[in-house]
């Protein structure tokens, strides 16, 4: 409900903005414009841009070979996402790589990480090349973490919310240090930062995963046009990144496969961006007064979105003519989105089960409302609860409370299942290759668990509603 309310608010703001614009377009600037740097300094100062020649050449080579390896092994997939109640297949193909057992959710779709090499984990890869590709990405992750810490310190974001000036950051650092530092920043490097702020700084820049993107514009039948500024073809529409730790930095490394053959557009436009090259677009969210930015992205360039920039501004990706990879490093909010958390919840739910030592029949230890609610929300669904509340010897008040609790959680679960079933049967889902189509699970059989509930819970909900009427 909260997400739907947020979507309605966005729709309203977008509609109002487009109505105010009418047939007009908002102004935007590129680095070729005289007022670009002044606008960047005053309205977009929390965007830090790094040119490719500031990144160690060895790191470039490792990462770019990794991109090509993952594509060669067919590791990129288009995602089935839901926007405003409709299902779409993304024009961009993606893969999530990061800490073992982590997940990332965007546009009602949850992705699971392919783990990068991590100390303490015995990770088996299908080929040495995949291992090397994942290793290259954690090296890039380490490098971008250090750059983000330096950028935050340079802009003094920890001491004040108001940015008075943009500090030029010296990125001339030793290549070996960048590649072997393990992504840590020593306390000596941050001696000028108070301890509490230093910890906060590390937490907001310690990326736990990266979402990799790939798209070849030539292969796309249609690309959406940017609606506000007339910036041209969009690979990714205007958005805020989701599911992130509050005020955490997002780091993006770009690799467009332009080689030496791609040249600027022959249209010789005197204004606006060159459509031959990929750009990142930025704008102040729901603002028609501030011009937007369009910054070209070449092989090996990277940029950082610091502090609350992702909240106050929106960004988009504008397509060029050549294929492009990107690695978008994030501090994902994973308090309830890791395998460790899920297993812990399952173990917690199972604590309410007991087995008779003689008959081996399962029963519940407690029918207290709080316990039942917790178990059902964790989704340990057996029909033992229904069996218990159907017994006449149960205390009437406890029965009523338990039944009402079950009705709430099962009705919500049925609603979610109906929504998922519709997504599985949507036109967008049907367009996916057979091995990538979503499936309706769980599909219970008698052997799966003791007295399982069906996938369709309508009958169970009707039974509970009848019970409510009987006890009342």
């Amino acid at each position: 409900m909260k997400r739907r309310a947020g979507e309605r608010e966005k729709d309203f703001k977008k509609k109002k903005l487009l109505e105010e614009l009418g047939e007009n377009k908002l102004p935007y600037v590129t680095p070729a414009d005289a007022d670009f740097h002044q606008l960047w300094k005053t309205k977009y100062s929390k965007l830090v841009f790094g040119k490719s020649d500031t990144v160690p050449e060895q790191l470039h080579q490792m990462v770019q070979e990794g991109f090509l390896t993952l594509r060669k092994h067919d590791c990129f997939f288009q995602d089935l996402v839901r926007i405003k109640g409709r299902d779409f297949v993304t024009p961009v193909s993606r893969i999530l790589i990061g800490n073992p057992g982590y997940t990332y959710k965007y546009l009602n779709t949850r992705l699971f990480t392919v783990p990068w090499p991590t100390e303490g984990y015995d990770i088996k890869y299908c080929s040495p090349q995949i291992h090397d590709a994942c290793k290259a990405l954690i090296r890039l992750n380490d490098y971008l973490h250090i750059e983000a810490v330096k950028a935050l310190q340079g802009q003094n974001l920890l001491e004040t919310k108001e940015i008075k000036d943009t500090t030029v950051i010296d990125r001339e650092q030793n290549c070996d240090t960048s590649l072997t530092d393990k992504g840590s920043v020593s306390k000596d490097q941050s001696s000028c930062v108070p301890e509490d702020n230093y910890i906060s700084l590390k937490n907001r820049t310690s990326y736990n995963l990266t979402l990799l993107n790939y798209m070849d514009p030539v292969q796309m039948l249609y690309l959406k046009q940017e609606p506000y500024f007339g910036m041209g073809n969009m690979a990714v529409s205007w958005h805020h990144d989701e599911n992130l730790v509050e005020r955490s930095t997002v780091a993006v490394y770009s690799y467009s496969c332009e080689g030496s053959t791609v040249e600027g557009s022959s249209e010789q436009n005197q204004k606006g961006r060159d459509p031959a090259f990929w750009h990142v677009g930025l704008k102040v969210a729901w603002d028609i007064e501030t011009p937007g930015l369009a910054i070209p992205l070449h092989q090996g360039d990277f940029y950082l979105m610091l502090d609350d920039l992702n909240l106050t501004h929106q960004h988009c990706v504008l397509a060029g003519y050549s294929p492009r990879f990107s690695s978008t490093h994030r501090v994902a909010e994973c308090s309830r989105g890791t395998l460790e958390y899920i297993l812990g919840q399952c173990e917690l739910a199972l604590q309410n089960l007991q087995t008779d030592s003689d008959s081996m029949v399962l029963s519940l230890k407690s029918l207290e409302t709080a316990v039942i609610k917790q178990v059902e929300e964790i989704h340990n669904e057996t029909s033992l609860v229904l069996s218990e509340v159907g017994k006449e010897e149960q205390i009437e008040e406890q029965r009523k409370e338990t039944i009402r609790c079950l009705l709430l959680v099962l009705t919500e679960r049925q609603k979610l299942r109906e929504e998922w079933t519709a997504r599985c049967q949507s036109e967008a889902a049907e367009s996916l290759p057979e091995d990538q189509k979503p499936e309706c699970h769980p599909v219970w059989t008698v052997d799966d668990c003791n007295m399982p509930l069906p996938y369709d819970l309508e009958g169970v909900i009707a039974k509970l509603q009848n019970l409510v009427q009987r006890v009342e």
Side-chain angles (χ1 to χ4, degrees), residues 63-65 67-68 71 213-218 254-263 276-278 297-300 320-326:
V63 171
Q64 293 169 13
E65 287 179 357
F67 285 150
L68 297 174
R71 171 143 173 77
N213 306 284
Y214 172 78
M215 196 183 85
D216 182 355
V218 176
S254 180
Y255 173 49
S256 48
C257 311
E258 56 201 45
S260 58
T261 58
V262 174
E263 299 178 356
F277 295 103
W278 287 77
L297 300 169
H298 299 294
Q299 286 184 351
Y321 294 163
S322 59
R324 173 184 177 262
F325 295 91
S326 69

Side-chain angles (χ1 to χ4, degrees), residues 145 149 183-185 197-207:
H145 163 64
V149 170
S184 63
V185 179
N197 285 343
Y198 170 72
I199 294 171
S200 173
L201 181 150
K202 283 199 70 177
N203 290 341
R204 292 188 288 127
T205 58
S206 296
Y207 308 119

Side-chain angles (χ1 to χ4, degrees), residues 65-290:
E65 287 179 357
F67 285 150
L68 297 174
T69 294
L70 292 170
R71 171 143 173 77
K72 179 181 177 182
H73 284 77
D74 297 321
C75 295
F76 289 88
F77 299 95
Q78 292 174 279
D79 293 329
L80 178 67
V81 298
R82 171 155 284 209
I83 305 173
K84 302 174 187 174
R86 296 180 59 194
D87 296 302
F88 298 90
V89 175
T90 58
V92 176
S93 298
R94 297 185 164 103
I95 178 176
L96 187 70
I97 296 177
N99 289 355
Y102 275 54
T103 68
Y104 181 71
K105 186 176 181 181
Y106 80 103
L107 298 178
N108 287 290
T109 296
R110 186 173 296 280
L111 305 180
F112 294 77
T113 58
V114 173
W116 46 32
T118 305
E119 186 176 350
Y121 288 85
D122 181 20
I123 301 168
K124 294 179 173 62
Y125 296 91
C126 61
S127 76
Q129 292 78 21
I130 298 293
H131 168 273
D132 292 345
C134 292
K135 184 178 179 180
L137 288 162
I138 198 172
R139 293 287 181 87
L140 176 62
N141 197 68
D142 296 342
Y143 175 83
L144 292 173
H145 163 64
I146 294 171
E147 290 299 298
V149 170
K150 289 165 58 180
L152 284 168
Q153 292 174 334
Q155 291 204 340
N156 201 27
L157 293 179
L158 295 171
E159 284 76 24
T160 176
K161 293 181 181 179
E162 181 180 359
I163 306 304
K164 296 182 178 179
D165 197 6
T166 302
T167 305
V168 177
I169 300 171
D170 178 14
R171 305 184 190 281
E172 296 296 325
Q173 61 178 351
N174 182 273
C175 171
D176 292 335
T177 301
S178 299
L179 296 180
T180 61
D181 192 83
K182 302 292 185 185
S184 63
V185 179
S186 69
K187 189 65 179 75
D188 290 342
Q189 289 175 280
S190 304
S191 57
C192 61
V193 181
E195 181 70 26
D196 290 347
N197 285 343
Y198 170 72
I199 294 171
S200 173
L201 181 150
K202 283 199 70 177
N203 290 341
R204 292 188 288 127
T205 58
S206 296
Y207 308 119
N208 47 30
L209 50 79
T210 178
L211 183 63
L212 271 62
N213 306 284
Y214 172 78
M215 196 183 85
D216 182 355
V218 176
Q219 302 301 319
M220 305 306 301
L221 297 177
Y222 168 77
L223 285 175
K224 192 175 180 180
Q225 293 295 299
E226 192 285 309
Y228 305 117
F229 302 91
M231 292 178 174
N233 291 337
M234 293 193 299
V236 181
S237 300
W238 291 107
H239 68 287
H240 305 278
D241 286 336
E242 301 180 70
N243 194 33
L244 303 178
V245 169
E246 186 178 2
R247 301 176 81 93
S248 60
T249 295
V250 177
V252 181
Y253 176 90
S254 180
Y255 173 49
S256 48
C257 311
E258 56 201 45
S260 58
T261 58
V262 174
E263 299 178 356
S265 171
S266 59
E267 298 171 10
Q268 297 296 321
N269 291 334
Q270 295 299 310
K271 281 193 170 186
R273 78 176 187 99
D274 188 332
F277 295 103
W278 287 77
H279 288 65
V280 58
L282 284 101
K283 70 182 181 72
V284 179
W286 314 117
D287 179 304
I288 62 171
E289 303 297 330
T290 307

Side-chain angles (χ1 to χ4, degrees), residues 12-71:
F12 174 77
K13 288 180 177 179
K14 181 177 179 179
K15 182 179 179 181
K16 184 178 179 182
L17 183 59
L18 290 173
E19 285 176 352
E20 290 180 13
L21 285 176
E23 297 297 318
N24 300 317
K25 295 294 182 183
L26 293 171
Y28 74 96
V29 299
T30 72
D33 295 306
D35 53 349
F36 173 82
H37 289 284
Q38 180 62 25
L39 180 65
W40 190 350
K41 178 179 176 180
T42 56
K43 298 295 185 179
Y44 298 91
S45 61
K46 294 182 184 179
L47 174 72
V48 172
F49 193 80
K51 300 294 289 182
S52 61
D53 59 5
T54 67
V55 179
E57 185 57 38
Q58 182 186 355
L59 184 56
H60 278 311
Q61 184 177 349
M62 291 170 60
V63 171
Q64 293 169 13
E65 287 179 357
F67 285 150
L68 297 174
T69 294
L70 292 170
R71 171 143 173 77

